[in-house]
Amino acid sequence: MHTTATATDDLAERYSRQILFSGIGSEGQQRLRHAHVAIAGCGATGAASAALLARAGIGHLTIIDRDFVEPSNLQRQMLFTEEDALESLPKVEAARRQIARFNSEIQVTAHIADIVPATVASLLQGADLILDATDNFETRYLLNDYAVQQGVPWIYAAAIGAYTATMNILPRSDGATAWKPTACLACIFPNPPSGTVETCDTAGILNTAVNVAASIQVTEALKFLTGQPNLMRRSLLSLDLWTGERSEISATEPRSTCEVCGQRNFIHLAGEGRPHITLCGRNSVQIHERHRPIDFESMRERLAPHGSVRFNSMLLRFERPPHTITLFADGRAIVQGTTDTALARTLYARFVGS
């Protein structure tokens, strides 16, 4: 009994300044302790949001990312260290380890995986709320399909250059809900952006923009998780931190003709997995055409005569200039040094196998 009381006192002390805030209080803190949030992506925005949620005392975080830490990440991705980059540690594993150092009380589930139609349900299962920290609209439309179908709220967030954007999506649910539905992503953007789309590789990115996006996203998440969805913003908010420009688009009501939340036509959820995708921030192509277990020791022996090989329990890196292949345990690979998907697939077939 004494041990339980001591643990309770310790938690009250840890979160005392947050509990003093009238918007949360003791009851809200208990709600946070029992909440489960899934974060889709653990790059700049995802790492910042994960750190904020972990420090706020969210009981269970599920973090999903397909990528590994590199030196160029350290300018803006707050959970990672130079050692993580040197080891090419998967981002979710680096995040899990770092969170454990400053809040060992919470549960962190780390998935080194890509979110595609075949995996989205299993990766996001059980989450009370989904936070978007991805770098492409294809995945965001998939998240939107899943969230609307399942009646699970999610929060869109993006940052590029000095620009940030966030939007809360509160979908209809078959059960009794405590919120009035908002527009979904497809209500605002029926079609993906057309023409040239800037990325952090072409436009750069400020770490301040990342942190603003994450701070807004997590604040909205705290409103929802403490049982106050009525206080959540019902608009697409855009900010340019460099010019000071600000804009809002109303997302108060679902669009009746929306193909997703109106007609419940989930074309992205029903689609086939993507065979490859160019990643944000570097000259790379991802290959995930099939799932198969990889024996890293055997692969090292096969590849060693052809280039430099190093591996740990989570990934193998094969360097054969000008290309580097990072191979994950499930057979997925990231081919660096090209944006030519045909060449990437050729390199994969040649060195990993078809």
Side-chain angles (χ1 to χ4, degrees):
M1 181 67 72
H2 176 71
T3 302
T4 303
T6 301
T8 302
D9 291 343
D10 289 345
L11 289 174
E13 173 60 25
R14 174 189 281 268
Y15 304 114
S16 60
R17 302 306 186 270
Q18 188 164 277
I19 291 170
L20 283 171
F21 176 64
S22 61
I24 293 181
S26 296
E27 181 182 345
Q29 192 64 50
Q30 286 300 314
R31 284 176 175 258
L32 298 181
R33 186 181 180 187
H34 294 97
H36 179 189
V37 177
I39 304 176
C42 194
T45 305
S49 291
L52 290 169
L53 288 170
R55 291 186 184 278
I58 302 303
H60 185 185
L61 291 177
T62 292
I63 310 175
I64 308 139
D65 195 279
R66 63 196 177 199
D67 211 352
F68 53 89
V69 183
E70 293 186 293
S72 65
N73 301 150
L74 302 180
Q75 167 258 349
R76 64 195 180 281
Q77 299 186 13
M78 302 300 176
L79 285 177
F80 309 136
T81 66
E82 291 179 349
E83 289 75 17
D84 296 332
L86 186 63
E87 294 180 32
S88 299
L89 205 62
K91 289 181 177 179
V92 293
E93 177 60 18
R96 186 193 66 78
R97 295 181 186 183
Q98 185 71 344
I99 289 171
R101 293 186 182 103
F102 64 77
N103 195 344
S104 59
E105 297 292 332
I106 69 173
Q107 178 183 351
V108 178
T109 302
H111 291 294
I112 308 169
D114 199 17
I115 300 175
V116 295
T119 63
V120 62
S122 60
L123 292 172
L124 301 178
Q125 184 177 17
D128 303 311
L129 177 68
I130 301 165
L131 300 191
D132 161 47
T134 61
D135 59 12
N136 65 90
F137 265 88
E138 186 172 13
T139 304
R140 289 181 176 122
Y141 281 115
L142 177 59
L143 292 176
N144 189 64
D145 272 14
Y146 174 82
V148 171
Q149 184 196 60
Q150 298 296 317
V152 178
W154 73 286
I155 303 178
Y156 159 75
I160 190 74
Y163 171 85
T164 69
T166 64
M167 176 180 166
N168 303 316
I169 294 93
L170 300 173
R172 292 186 177 91
S173 174
D174 292 336
T177 60
W179 61 79
K180 182 180 179 183
T182 66
C184 77
L185 185 69
C187 290
I188 306 298
F189 301 111
N191 299 300
S194 59
T196 301
V197 178
E198 293 280 21
T199 70
C200 56
D201 193 34
T202 59
I205 187 167
L206 295 181
N207 56 22
T208 52
V210 167
N211 281 282
V212 167
S215 293
I216 294 173
Q217 184 183 55
V218 170
T219 301
E220 295 297 309
L222 293 177
K223 295 176 188 178
F224 177 80
L225 296 170
T226 55
Q228 302 171 85
N230 57 301
L231 297 181
M232 296 176 72
R233 194 186 67 253
R234 303 174 71 87
S235 67
L236 171 63
L237 172 65
S238 302
L239 302 170
D240 189 314
L241 304 185
W242 205 254
T243 65
E245 294 178 2
R246 178 185 188 278
S247 67
E248 281 192 81
I249 298 174
S250 175
T252 300
E253 299 287 345
R255 182 167 53 84
S256 60
T257 57
C258 174
E259 187 170 356
V260 178
C261 66
Q263 301 177 23
R264 301 189 68 79
N265 185 12
F266 305 118
I267 59 173
H268 297 277
L269 195 57
E272 298 181 358
R274 294 157 293 181
H276 40 67
I277 185 168
T278 300
L279 300 183
C280 169
R282 64 176 186 274
N283 188 26
S284 307
V285 173
Q286 180 180 209
I287 304 292
H288 53 95
E289 295 184 89
R290 59 188 60 81
H291 288 277
R292 53 177 173 168
I294 299 293
D295 183 329
F296 287 152
E297 183 62 44
S298 297
M299 188 62 65
R300 183 193 67 79
E301 293 178 4
R302 180 200 299 184
L303 296 177
H306 305 288
S308 172
V309 184
R310 57 191 175 97
F311 70 93
N312 55 38
S313 62
M314 292 164 282
L315 57 80
L316 176 148
R317 295 202 77 185
F318 169 57
E319 296 183 24
R320 182 184 170 89
H323 303 108
T324 298
I325 298 177
T326 301
L327 184 64
F328 295 87
D330 62 358
R332 184 172 56 88
I334 294 174
V335 181
Q336 291 175 268
T338 184
T339 55
D340 184 335
T341 56
L343 174 59
R345 293 178 69 180
T346 297
L347 291 169
Y348 183 94
R350 178 181 175 187
F351 293 110
V352 180
S354 58

PDB file of all heavy atoms in Angstrom, residues 192-219:
ATOM      1  N   PRO A 192      -5.426  14.984 -54.526  1.00  0.00           N
ATOM      2  CA  PRO A 192      -4.077  15.330 -54.075  1.00  0.00           C
ATOM      3  C   PRO A 192      -3.582  16.590 -54.764  1.00  0.00           C
ATOM      4  O   PRO A 192      -4.047  16.936 -55.860  1.00  0.00           O
ATOM      5  CB  PRO A 192      -3.240  14.112 -54.481  1.00  0.00           C
ATOM      6  CG  PRO A 192      -4.219  13.012 -54.674  1.00  0.00           C
ATOM      7  CD  PRO A 192      -5.488  13.652 -55.144  1.00  0.00           C
ATOM      8  N   PRO A 193      -2.647  17.317 -54.160  1.00  0.00           N
ATOM      9  CA  PRO A 193      -2.081  18.513 -54.799  1.00  0.00           C
ATOM     10  C   PRO A 193      -1.503  18.162 -56.155  1.00  0.00           C
ATOM     11  O   PRO A 193      -0.876  17.112 -56.327  1.00  0.00           O
ATOM     12  CB  PRO A 193      -0.984  18.946 -53.823  1.00  0.00           C
ATOM     13  CG  PRO A 193      -1.386  18.356 -52.512  1.00  0.00           C
ATOM     14  CD  PRO A 193      -2.071  17.062 -52.835  1.00  0.00           C
ATOM     15  N   SER A 194      -1.717  19.025 -57.140  1.00  0.00           N
ATOM     16  CA  SER A 194      -1.210  18.778 -58.487  1.00  0.00           C
ATOM     17  C   SER A 194       0.002  19.669 -58.746  1.00  0.00           C
ATOM     18  O   SER A 194       0.261  20.635 -58.036  1.00  0.00           O
ATOM     19  CB  SER A 194      -2.298  19.068 -59.528  1.00  0.00           C
ATOM     20  OG  SER A 194      -2.738  20.410 -59.432  1.00  0.00           O
ATOM     21  N   GLY A 195       0.759  19.330 -59.787  1.00  0.00           N
ATOM     22  CA  GLY A 195       1.929  20.118 -60.134  1.00  0.00           C
ATOM     23  C   GLY A 195       3.097  19.806 -59.217  1.00  0.00           C
ATOM     24  O   GLY A 195       3.141  18.794 -58.526  1.00  0.00           O
ATOM     25  N   THR A 196       4.063  20.721 -59.202  1.00  0.00           N
ATOM     26  CA  THR A 196       5.261  20.538 -58.388  1.00  0.00           C
ATOM     27  C   THR A 196       4.937  20.757 -56.924  1.00  0.00           C
ATOM     28  O   THR A 196       4.377  21.777 -56.538  1.00  0.00           O
ATOM     29  CB  THR A 196       6.367  21.524 -58.819  1.00  0.00           C
ATOM     30  OG1 THR A 196       6.670  21.304 -60.196  1.00  0.00           O
ATOM     31  CG2 THR A 196       7.630  21.310 -57.988  1.00  0.00           C
ATOM     32  N   VAL A 197       5.291  19.792 -56.096  1.00  0.00           N
ATOM     33  CA  VAL A 197       5.068  19.877 -54.655  1.00  0.00           C
ATOM     34  C   VAL A 197       6.412  19.979 -53.960  1.00  0.00           C
ATOM     35  O   VAL A 197       7.287  19.133 -54.151  1.00  0.00           O
ATOM     36  CB  VAL A 197       4.289  18.652 -54.139  1.00  0.00           C
ATOM     37  CG1 VAL A 197       4.099  18.734 -52.636  1.00  0.00           C
ATOM     38  CG2 VAL A 197       2.943  18.539 -54.841  1.00  0.00           C
ATOM     39  N   GLU A 198       6.606  21.040 -53.185  1.00  0.00           N
ATOM     40  CA  GLU A 198       7.859  21.232 -52.474  1.00  0.00           C
ATOM     41  C   GLU A 198       8.041  20.170 -51.394  1.00  0.00           C
ATOM     42  O   GLU A 198       7.078  19.686 -50.793  1.00  0.00           O
ATOM     43  CB  GLU A 198       7.884  22.615 -51.814  1.00  0.00           C
ATOM     44  CG  GLU A 198       7.936  23.773 -52.818  1.00  0.00           C
ATOM     45  CD  GLU A 198       9.345  24.022 -53.352  1.00  0.00           C
ATOM     46  OE1 GLU A 198      10.193  23.103 -53.287  1.00  0.00           O
ATOM     47  OE2 GLU A 198       9.596  25.136 -53.835  1.00  0.00           O
ATOM     48  N   THR A 199       9.287  19.798 -51.150  1.00  0.00           N
ATOM     49  CA  THR A 199       9.636  18.901 -50.057  1.00  0.00           C
ATOM     50  C   THR A 199      10.730  19.563 -49.230  1.00  0.00           C
ATOM     51  O   THR A 199      11.289  20.602 -49.619  1.00  0.00           O
ATOM     52  CB  THR A 199      10.145  17.548 -50.581  1.00  0.00           C
ATOM     53  OG1 THR A 199      11.443  17.756 -51.195  1.00  0.00           O
ATOM     54  CG2 THR A 199       9.196  16.962 -51.613  1.00  0.00           C
ATOM     55  N   CYS A 200      11.084  18.963 -48.103  1.00  0.00           N
ATOM     56  CA  CYS A 200      12.161  19.536 -47.303  1.00  0.00           C
ATOM     57  C   CYS A 200      13.491  19.446 -48.032  1.00  0.00           C
ATOM     58  O   CYS A 200      14.439  20.163 -47.708  1.00  0.00           O
ATOM     59  CB  CYS A 200      12.233  18.863 -45.938  1.00  0.00           C
ATOM     60  SG  CYS A 200      12.436  17.080 -45.995  1.00  0.00           S
ATOM     61  N   ASP A 201      13.596  18.574 -49.041  1.00  0.00           N
ATOM     62  CA  ASP A 201      14.812  18.455 -49.838  1.00  0.00           C
ATOM     63  C   ASP A 201      14.961  19.636 -50.787  1.00  0.00           C
ATOM     64  O   ASP A 201      16.075  20.064 -51.085  1.00  0.00           O
ATOM     65  CB  ASP A 201      14.781  17.148 -50.621  1.00  0.00           C
ATOM     66  CG  ASP A 201      16.138  16.800 -51.222  1.00  0.00           C
ATOM     67  OD1 ASP A 201      17.155  17.122 -50.586  1.00  0.00           O
ATOM     68  OD2 ASP A 201      16.167  16.206 -52.302  1.00  0.00           O
ATOM     69  N   THR A 202      13.835  20.185 -51.262  1.00  0.00           N
ATOM     70  CA  THR A 202      13.890  21.278 -52.224  1.00  0.00           C
ATOM     71  C   THR A 202      13.689  22.648 -51.580  1.00  0.00           C
ATOM     72  O   THR A 202      14.251  23.634 -52.034  1.00  0.00           O
ATOM     73  CB  THR A 202      12.823  21.091 -53.320  1.00  0.00           C
ATOM     74  OG1 THR A 202      11.520  21.045 -52.711  1.00  0.00           O
ATOM     75  CG2 THR A 202      13.053  19.796 -54.076  1.00  0.00           C
ATOM     76  N   ALA A 203      12.888  22.715 -50.542  1.00  0.00           N
ATOM     77  CA  ALA A 203      12.580  24.007 -49.906  1.00  0.00           C
ATOM     78  C   ALA A 203      13.267  24.185 -48.565  1.00  0.00           C
ATOM     79  O   ALA A 203      13.244  25.278 -48.000  1.00  0.00           O
ATOM     80  CB  ALA A 203      11.062  24.143 -49.724  1.00  0.00           C
ATOM     81  N   GLY A 204      13.876  23.132 -48.046  1.00  0.00           N
ATOM     82  CA  GLY A 204      14.464  23.212 -46.717  1.00  0.00           C
ATOM     83  C   GLY A 204      13.385  23.243 -45.648  1.00  0.00           C
ATOM     84  O   GLY A 204      12.191  23.187 -45.940  1.00  0.00           O
ATOM     85  N   ILE A 205      13.807  23.338 -44.389  1.00  0.00           N
ATOM     86  CA  ILE A 205      12.832  23.391 -43.307  1.00  0.00           C
ATOM     87  C   ILE A 205      13.484  23.984 -42.068  1.00  0.00           C
ATOM     88  O   ILE A 205      14.660  23.720 -41.782  1.00  0.00           O
ATOM     89  CB  ILE A 205      12.264  21.985 -43.007  1.00  0.00           C
ATOM     90  CG1 ILE A 205      11.120  22.049 -42.006  1.00  0.00           C
ATOM     91  CG2 ILE A 205      13.358  21.039 -42.550  1.00  0.00           C
ATOM     92  CD1 ILE A 205      10.317  20.766 -41.912  1.00  0.00           C
ATOM     93  N   LEU A 206      12.745  24.807 -41.350  1.00  0.00           N
ATOM     94  CA  LEU A 206      13.195  25.371 -40.091  1.00  0.00           C
ATOM     95  C   LEU A 206      12.741  24.478 -38.943  1.00  0.00           C
ATOM     96  O   LEU A 206      11.587  24.041 -38.914  1.00  0.00           O
ATOM     97  CB  LEU A 206      12.617  26.777 -39.889  1.00  0.00           C
ATOM     98  CG  LEU A 206      13.052  27.872 -40.867  1.00  0.00           C
ATOM     99  CD1 LEU A 206      12.381  29.183 -40.490  1.00  0.00           C
ATOM    100  CD2 LEU A 206      14.565  28.037 -40.874  1.00  0.00           C
ATOM    101  N   ASN A 207      13.628  24.242 -37.992  1.00  0.00           N
ATOM    102  CA  ASN A 207      13.210  23.430 -36.849  1.00  0.00           C
ATOM    103  C   ASN A 207      12.136  24.143 -36.027  1.00  0.00           C
ATOM    104  O   ASN A 207      11.323  23.503 -35.363  1.00  0.00           O
ATOM    105  CB  ASN A 207      14.404  23.029 -35.985  1.00  0.00           C
ATOM    106  CG  ASN A 207      15.233  24.196 -35.488  1.00  0.00           C
ATOM    107  OD1 ASN A 207      14.769  25.319 -35.422  1.00  0.00           O
ATOM    108  ND2 ASN A 207      16.484  23.911 -35.136  1.00  0.00           N
ATOM    109  N   THR A 208      12.093  25.460 -36.108  1.00  0.00           N
ATOM    110  CA  THR A 208      11.034  26.192 -35.399  1.00  0.00           C
ATOM    111  C   THR A 208       9.665  25.907 -35.998  1.00  0.00           C
ATOM    112  O   THR A 208       8.668  25.794 -35.281  1.00  0.00           O
ATOM    113  CB  THR A 208      11.309  27.700 -35.441  1.00  0.00           C
ATOM    114  OG1 THR A 208      11.536  28.105 -36.800  1.00  0.00           O
ATOM    115  CG2 THR A 208      12.525  28.060 -34.614  1.00  0.00           C
ATOM    116  N   ALA A 209       9.597  25.764 -37.318  1.00  0.00           N
ATOM    117  CA  ALA A 209       8.321  25.449 -37.965  1.00  0.00           C
ATOM    118  C   ALA A 209       7.833  24.074 -37.535  1.00  0.00           C
ATOM    119  O   ALA A 209       6.639  23.865 -37.270  1.00  0.00           O
ATOM    120  CB  ALA A 209       8.473  25.509 -39.483  1.00  0.00           C
ATOM    121  N   VAL A 210       8.759  23.128 -37.449  1.00  0.00           N
ATOM    122  CA  VAL A 210       8.415  21.781 -36.992  1.00  0.00           C
ATOM    123  C   VAL A 210       7.824  21.823 -35.593  1.00  0.00           C
ATOM    124  O   VAL A 210       6.798  21.200 -35.295  1.00  0.00           O
ATOM    125  CB  VAL A 210       9.668  20.883 -37.009  1.00  0.00           C
ATOM    126  CG1 VAL A 210       9.419  19.591 -36.258  1.00  0.00           C
ATOM    127  CG2 VAL A 210      10.104  20.608 -38.436  1.00  0.00           C
ATOM    128  N   ASN A 211       8.477  22.581 -34.708  1.00  0.00           N
ATOM    129  CA  ASN A 211       8.033  22.615 -33.321  1.00  0.00           C
ATOM    130  C   ASN A 211       6.715  23.345 -33.141  1.00  0.00           C
ATOM    131  O   ASN A 211       5.923  22.982 -32.260  1.00  0.00           O
ATOM    132  CB  ASN A 211       9.123  23.225 -32.444  1.00  0.00           C
ATOM    133  CG  ASN A 211      10.223  22.225 -32.143  1.00  0.00           C
ATOM    134  OD1 ASN A 211      10.073  21.364 -31.293  1.00  0.00           O
ATOM    135  ND2 ASN A 211      11.319  22.324 -32.864  1.00  0.00           N
ATOM    136  N   VAL A 212       6.451  24.355 -33.970  1.00  0.00           N
ATOM    137  CA  VAL A 212       5.138  25.010 -33.924  1.00  0.00           C
ATOM    138  C   VAL A 212       4.055  24.031 -34.350  1.00  0.00           C
ATOM    139  O   VAL A 212       3.014  23.907 -33.691  1.00  0.00           O
ATOM    140  CB  VAL A 212       5.129  26.274 -34.811  1.00  0.00           C
ATOM    141  CG1 VAL A 212       3.699  26.765 -35.021  1.00  0.00           C
ATOM    142  CG2 VAL A 212       5.974  27.369 -34.178  1.00  0.00           C
ATOM    143  N   ALA A 213       4.282  23.318 -35.452  1.00  0.00           N
ATOM    144  CA  ALA A 213       3.294  22.347 -35.923  1.00  0.00           C
ATOM    145  C   ALA A 213       3.026  21.291 -34.859  1.00  0.00           C
ATOM    146  O   ALA A 213       1.872  20.948 -34.577  1.00  0.00           O
ATOM    147  CB  ALA A 213       3.778  21.693 -37.222  1.00  0.00           C
ATOM    148  N   ALA A 214       4.093  20.764 -34.252  1.00  0.00           N
ATOM    149  CA  ALA A 214       3.931  19.726 -33.224  1.00  0.00           C
ATOM    150  C   ALA A 214       3.236  20.270 -31.982  1.00  0.00           C
ATOM    151  O   ALA A 214       2.382  19.603 -31.390  1.00  0.00           O
ATOM    152  CB  ALA A 214       5.296  19.150 -32.848  1.00  0.00           C
ATOM    153  N   SER A 215       3.565  21.494 -31.596  1.00  0.00           N
ATOM    154  CA  SER A 215       2.957  22.078 -30.396  1.00  0.00           C
ATOM    155  C   SER A 215       1.459  22.291 -30.579  1.00  0.00           C
ATOM    156  O   SER A 215       0.669  22.009 -29.672  1.00  0.00           O
ATOM    157  CB  SER A 215       3.639  23.414 -30.061  1.00  0.00           C
ATOM    158  OG  SER A 215       4.981  23.208 -29.673  1.00  0.00           O
ATOM    159  N   ILE A 216       1.074  22.776 -31.757  1.00  0.00           N
ATOM    160  CA  ILE A 216      -0.352  22.955 -32.030  1.00  0.00           C
ATOM    161  C   ILE A 216      -1.047  21.597 -32.068  1.00  0.00           C
ATOM    162  O   ILE A 216      -2.125  21.406 -31.479  1.00  0.00           O
ATOM    163  CB  ILE A 216      -0.565  23.712 -33.355  1.00  0.00           C
ATOM    164  CG1 ILE A 216      -0.032  25.151 -33.229  1.00  0.00           C
ATOM    165  CG2 ILE A 216      -2.043  23.727 -33.740  1.00  0.00           C
ATOM    166  CD1 ILE A 216      -0.047  25.916 -34.540  1.00  0.00           C
ATOM    167  N   GLN A 217      -0.442  20.647 -32.748  1.00  0.00           N
ATOM    168  CA  GLN A 217      -1.030  19.308 -32.872  1.00  0.00           C
ATOM    169  C   GLN A 217      -1.222  18.666 -31.501  1.00  0.00           C
ATOM    170  O   GLN A 217      -2.299  18.124 -31.194  1.00  0.00           O
ATOM    171  CB  GLN A 217      -0.133  18.436 -33.746  1.00  0.00           C
ATOM    172  CG  GLN A 217      -0.690  17.047 -34.013  1.00  0.00           C
ATOM    173  CD  GLN A 217       0.260  16.191 -34.835  1.00  0.00           C
ATOM    174  OE1 GLN A 217       1.416  16.006 -34.456  1.00  0.00           O
ATOM    175  NE2 GLN A 217      -0.229  15.666 -35.959  1.00  0.00           N
ATOM    176  N   VAL A 218      -0.217  18.731 -30.647  1.00  0.00           N
ATOM    177  CA  VAL A 218      -0.294  18.081 -29.342  1.00  0.00           C
ATOM    178  C   VAL A 218      -1.266  18.813 -28.422  1.00  0.00           C
ATOM    179  O   VAL A 218      -1.984  18.179 -27.634  1.00  0.00           O
ATOM    180  CB  VAL A 218       1.104  17.966 -28.713  1.00  0.00           C
ATOM    181  CG1 VAL A 218       1.025  17.529 -27.251  1.00  0.00           C
ATOM    182  CG2 VAL A 218       1.952  16.978 -29.513  1.00  0.00           C
ATOM    183  N   THR A 219      -1.331  20.134 -28.514  1.00  0.00           N
ATOM    184  CA  THR A 219      -2.311  20.875 -27.706  1.00  0.00           C
ATOM    185  C   THR A 219      -3.734  20.448 -28.055  1.00  0.00           C
ATOM    186  O   THR A 219      -4.568  20.226 -27.166  1.00  0.00           O
ATOM    187  CB  THR A 219      -2.157  22.387 -27.909  1.00  0.00           C
ATOM    188  OG1 THR A 219      -0.826  22.777 -27.548  1.00  0.00           O
ATOM    189  CG2 THR A 219      -3.143  23.156 -27.037  1.00  0.00           C
TER     190      THR A 219
END
